[in-house]
Amino acid sequence: MTGTEMAFDRTTLWLVIIGLAVGSYALRFAFIGLVGNRAMPAWLMRHLRYTAVAIIPALVAPLVVWPAPTDGAPSLIHFAAAALTFAVAVFSKNVLLAMATGACSLWTLMYLFG
Protein backbone atom coordinates (compact mmCIF):
# COMPACT_ATOMS: atom_id res chain seq x y z
CA MET A 1 0.00 0.00 0.00
CA THR A 2 1.42 3.37 -0.96
CA GLY A 3 1.32 6.52 1.11
CA THR A 4 -1.43 8.02 -1.04
CA GLU A 5 -3.67 4.97 -0.62
CA MET A 6 -3.04 5.01 3.12
CA ALA A 7 -3.99 8.70 3.35
CA PHE A 8 -7.14 8.05 1.34
CA ASP A 9 -8.13 5.22 3.66
CA ARG A 10 -7.59 7.40 6.72
CA THR A 11 -9.49 10.28 5.16
CA THR A 12 -12.38 8.02 4.25
CA LEU A 13 -12.38 6.50 7.72
CA TRP A 14 -12.49 9.90 9.43
CA LEU A 15 -15.18 11.17 7.07
CA VAL A 16 -17.32 8.15 7.91
CA ILE A 17 -16.71 8.58 11.66
CA ILE A 18 -17.52 12.29 11.56
CA GLY A 19 -20.58 11.69 9.36
CA LEU A 20 -21.93 9.04 11.73
CA ALA A 21 -21.28 11.28 14.73
CA VAL A 22 -23.12 14.21 13.14
CA GLY A 23 -26.01 11.96 12.08
CA SER A 24 -26.29 10.41 15.52
CA TYR A 25 -26.23 13.82 17.20
CA ALA A 26 -28.84 15.20 14.79
CA LEU A 27 -31.17 12.27 15.43
CA ARG A 28 -30.91 12.63 19.18
CA PHE A 29 -31.23 16.42 19.01
CA ALA A 30 -34.43 16.08 16.99
CA PHE A 31 -36.10 14.27 19.90
CA ILE A 32 -34.38 15.86 22.89
CA GLY A 33 -33.65 19.40 21.73
CA LEU A 34 -36.58 20.15 19.47
CA VAL A 35 -39.36 18.09 21.04
CA GLY A 36 -37.97 17.46 24.55
CA ASN A 37 -40.18 19.92 26.39
CA ARG A 38 -43.39 19.22 24.47
CA ALA A 39 -45.90 16.46 24.99
CA MET A 40 -45.80 13.84 22.25
CA PRO A 41 -49.00 12.50 20.72
CA ALA A 42 -50.43 9.33 22.26
CA TRP A 43 -50.07 7.33 19.03
CA LEU A 44 -46.33 8.14 18.87
CA MET A 45 -45.77 7.24 22.51
CA ARG A 46 -47.60 3.96 21.94
CA HIS A 47 -45.23 3.11 19.06
CA LEU A 48 -42.08 4.25 20.87
CA ARG A 49 -42.80 1.83 23.73
CA TYR A 50 -41.81 -1.06 21.45
CA THR A 51 -38.46 0.38 20.37
CA ALA A 52 -36.49 -1.14 23.24
CA VAL A 53 -38.20 -4.51 22.79
CA ALA A 54 -37.32 -4.57 19.09
CA ILE A 55 -33.61 -3.93 19.63
CA ILE A 56 -32.69 -7.35 21.02
CA PRO A 57 -34.35 -9.37 18.22
CA ALA A 58 -32.75 -7.03 15.69
CA LEU A 59 -29.33 -7.80 17.17
CA VAL A 60 -29.92 -11.55 17.46
CA ALA A 61 -31.70 -12.28 14.16
CA PRO A 62 -28.58 -11.99 11.96
CA LEU A 63 -26.75 -14.38 14.29
CA VAL A 64 -29.53 -16.94 13.89
CA VAL A 65 -29.94 -16.58 10.14
CA TRP A 66 -26.21 -16.26 9.38
CA PRO A 67 -24.30 -17.87 12.29
CA ALA A 68 -20.61 -16.99 12.38
CA PRO A 69 -19.40 -20.37 13.74
CA THR A 70 -20.73 -22.09 10.59
CA ASP A 71 -19.57 -19.35 8.17
CA GLY A 72 -23.15 -18.51 7.30
CA ALA A 73 -24.43 -22.04 6.74
CA PRO A 74 -27.83 -22.67 8.34
CA SER A 75 -27.50 -24.18 11.80
CA LEU A 76 -30.26 -26.29 13.30
CA ILE A 77 -28.82 -25.61 16.76
CA HIS A 78 -29.22 -21.84 16.36
CA PHE A 79 -32.73 -22.18 14.93
CA ALA A 80 -33.78 -24.55 17.74
CA ALA A 81 -32.45 -22.21 20.44
CA ALA A 82 -34.20 -19.24 18.80
CA ALA A 83 -37.48 -21.16 18.52
CA LEU A 84 -37.32 -22.23 22.16
CA THR A 85 -36.54 -18.66 23.22
CA PHE A 86 -39.45 -17.34 21.18
CA ALA A 87 -41.83 -19.90 22.68
CA VAL A 88 -40.77 -19.05 26.24
CA ALA A 89 -41.14 -15.32 25.51
CA VAL A 90 -44.62 -15.73 24.03
CA PHE A 91 -45.98 -17.96 26.78
CA SER A 92 -44.27 -16.44 29.81
CA LYS A 93 -44.25 -12.76 28.75
CA ASN A 94 -40.98 -12.50 30.70
CA VAL A 95 -38.05 -11.03 28.78
CA LEU A 96 -35.37 -12.04 31.28
CA LEU A 97 -36.62 -15.62 31.42
CA ALA A 98 -36.66 -15.78 27.62
CA MET A 99 -33.11 -14.43 27.38
CA ALA A 100 -31.85 -16.87 30.01
CA THR A 101 -33.63 -19.74 28.26
CA GLY A 102 -32.10 -18.75 24.94
CA ALA A 103 -28.57 -18.57 26.32
CA CYS A 104 -28.87 -21.82 28.27
CA SER A 105 -30.50 -23.71 25.42
CA LEU A 106 -27.87 -22.53 22.94
CA TRP A 107 -25.01 -23.49 25.25
CA THR A 108 -26.62 -26.86 26.03
CA LEU A 109 -27.31 -27.66 22.38
CA MET A 110 -23.79 -26.59 21.39
CA TYR A 111 -22.36 -28.82 24.13
CA LEU A 112 -24.48 -31.82 23.13
CA PHE A 113 -24.42 -31.53 19.33
CA GLY A 114 -21.82 -28.92 18.41
Side-chain angles (χ1 to χ4, degrees):
M1 192 181 307
T2 65
T4 308
E5 290 173 1
M6 186 91 127
F8 178 72
D9 289 343
R10 286 183 184 160
T11 303
T12 303
L13 174 68
W14 280 108
L15 284 175
V16 168
I17 290 172
I18 291 168
L20 289 172
V22 168
S24 178
Y25 180 81
L27 184 62
R28 284 170 176 75
F29 183 76
F31 279 99
I32 297 169
L34 299 178
V35 193
N37 58 353
R38 297 183 195 140
M40 291 192 180
W43 64 269
L44 181 60
M45 291 303 293
R46 192 170 50 248
H47 287 81
L48 287 176
R49 276 195 330 216
Y50 299 108
T51 304
V53 176
I55 290 172
I56 292 173
L59 292 172
V60 173
L63 301 175
V64 172
V65 176
W66 191 276
T70 62
D71 290 329
S75 169
L76 187 58
I77 292 172
H78 288 83
F79 281 115
L84 182 60
T85 304
F86 181 75
V88 168
V90 167
F91 291 115
S92 73
K93 306 269 191 269
N94 186 333
V95 175
L96 295 177
L97 179 63
M99 290 171 65
T101 301
C104 292
S105 65
L106 181 63
W107 290 333
T108 303
L109 290 170
M110 292 290 265
Y111 178 76
L112 294 175
F113 302 110

